[in-house]
Amino acid sequence: MSSVIAPLSRPVVSWSPPDPADRRRSPQTRRTALITALGVTAAAISAFFGNEAIFVIAFLFVISWPLERIWRRHPVPVRRLALRTDLAYAAASPALIFAGTVVAAVLAVVSLMWLPGLAFRPLVRSLPVWLELVVGVLLFDVLIYWTHRWSHTVPLLWRFHAVHHSTRHLDWVSGFRNHPLDGAFMAPVFAFFIGAGFDGRITGGLAAVQFVIGLWAHLNVRWRLRPLHRIVLTPDFHHWHHANQPEAHNTNFSTFLPLWDIVFGSYYMPADQRPQRYGVDDPVPLTIGRQLAYPFRGLRSAFRERRRARRATAG
Ligand SMILES: [Zn+2]
Ligand SMILES: [Zn+2]
């Protein structure tokens, strides 16, 4: 992963990444148990008030689990490395999504991206409904492509996104491993859409579709679905995005249409190979509590060091 000044993306600690074949479970810490219990309580409370997220997750589990058992790609045992961490993310997802949404709302306002949105409003209003839908989907997808790409290349954003990439095994439950602030960085895109007056159902619908595609993309299934490779995101496509192999670094950023990777030169789908190794070399911890704190670790000293380096370059 490229970075301009290394310390901001690579906290300096002694670290030896776990072996990809390592199948230990993540350690049971008191913090993991507490976050899981709080997450389950929050999910139960939100379900009581009509939030269906937890039922959707249960439904997705019922669909995904047999698919991964029947058409399994990598021989990952049920109790694989850090499964407990990802289950904790799944249980806490309604609470984490809520926390991320609060931060996203603030970022959406202060990003001022609703201002250029307002400039486009008359144009959007003049479009027939079908064209507004087509333009909305394409624009949303290309903006998310670039936000995702910057999450890999801007060191500060990578700290948050590295949590998602830290999983050593891809399966449906690993798709839940997202730092709540990672998704919040997409807020300027939503601000632009709201400012431009796109139908709220387009943005809301696309956000929901992204959530489901997120789980589909990580499935541990051996389907190649080759005819679809260049048309729509497949698990094979996203597995290459997660591959910790030099030839696959910074590729396949698209979250819906691979078209953007083809256009911007980051498409990578070798016909005769399959990704073998997932994860990152960054020292991302194994448990959820530490992962949520990870992006902030040494952040202040990293900023100080960066300022010093900038001054030295300017002088
Ligand atoms: Zn990524
Ligand atoms: Zn992913």
Side-chain angles (χ1 to χ4, degrees):
M1 311 294 161
S2 67
S3 66
V4 186
I5 295 165
L8 204 51
S9 65
R10 307 267 188 273
V12 184
V13 288
S14 61
W15 162 259
S16 52
D19 188 316
D22 192 340
R23 281 163 193 174
R24 274 177 303 128
R25 284 194 286 167
S26 54
Q28 170 124 47
T29 62
R30 229 182 262 166
R31 218 181 316 175
T32 303
L34 184 70
I35 291 171
T36 310
L38 287 176
V40 170
T41 312
I45 293 171
S46 67
F48 181 76
F49 287 106
N51 184 335
E52 285 156 9
I54 207 72
F55 301 111
V56 173
I57 291 168
F59 176 69
L60 291 169
F61 167 74
V62 170
I63 294 184
S64 311
W65 199 78
L67 295 182
E68 291 187 335
R69 291 296 108 193
I70 300 167
W71 288 284
R72 186 164 43 188
R73 163 176 283 200
H74 300 291
V76 180
V78 176
R79 291 186 166 187
R80 47 92 168 152
L81 176 69
L83 174 69
R84 192 179 281 140
T85 299
D86 294 336
L87 288 174
Y89 273 100
S93 62
L96 294 174
I97 290 170
F98 177 75
T101 308
V102 171
V103 178
V106 176
L107 285 179
V109 174
V110 300
S111 72
L112 299 183
M113 278 303 286
W114 43 273
L115 277 176
L118 284 175
F120 279 94
R121 189 172 272 242
L123 187 70
V124 174
R125 280 285 146 87
S126 68
L127 298 175
V129 178
W130 68 268
L131 195 55
E132 184 187 335
L133 184 69
V134 173
V135 172
V137 170
L138 291 176
L139 193 60
F140 183 85
D141 208 39
V142 72
L143 291 176
I144 294 297
Y145 167 90
W146 278 104
T147 314
H148 185 192
R149 190 162 169 162
W150 289 325
S151 297
H152 280 256
T153 53
V154 176
L156 177 65
L157 302 185
W158 170 246
R159 279 175 170 252
F160 293 89
H161 193 51
V163 171
H164 175 65
H165 277 269
S166 66
T167 178
R168 299 263 147 184
H169 298 294
L170 292 189
D171 52 24
W172 81 281
V173 75
S174 72
F176 284 99
R177 192 188 294 191
N178 287 295
H179 196 285
L181 299 193
D182 186 12
F185 294 126
M186 292 177 185
V189 174
F190 285 93
F192 177 84
F193 264 70
I194 292 165
F198 278 99
D199 190 326
R201 281 170 295 183
I202 297 180
T203 34
L206 288 172
V209 165
Q210 256 206 335
F211 179 77
V212 177
I213 283 184
L215 300 185
W216 152 252
H218 300 98
L219 278 185
N220 180 26
V221 288
R222 59 172 175 266
W223 309 330
R224 297 221 73 180
L225 306 173
R226 212 169 267 159
L228 297 179
H229 276 180
R230 288 174 169 267
I231 300 167
V232 74
L233 182 139
T234 59
D236 211 22
F237 177 87
H238 195 65
H239 279 222
W240 273 116
H241 176 65
H242 275 267
N244 193 5
Q245 296 166 224
E247 67 275 22
H249 279 168
N250 291 335
T251 59
N252 298 6
F253 296 107
S254 296
T255 50
F256 188 44
L257 301 172
L259 167 74
W260 311 119
D261 281 292
I262 296 167
V263 170
F264 299 115
S266 49
Y267 184 81
Y268 186 73
M269 289 296 281
D272 52 348
Q273 292 170 49
R274 287 182 162 202
Q276 296 302 322
R277 193 168 174 270
Y278 304 112
V280 288
D281 295 330
D282 303 53
V284 182
L286 280 179
T287 59
I288 182 170
R290 294 209 175 115
Q291 285 183 358
L292 293 176
Y294 168 78
F296 305 100
R297 224 165 63 186
L299 193 60
R300 207 185 291 169
S301 57
F303 268 121
R304 222 178 293 138
E305 213 168 298
R306 203 159 100 115
R307 229 176 290 137
R308 218 176 295 141
R310 272 217 184 117
R311 246 181 265 138
T313 324

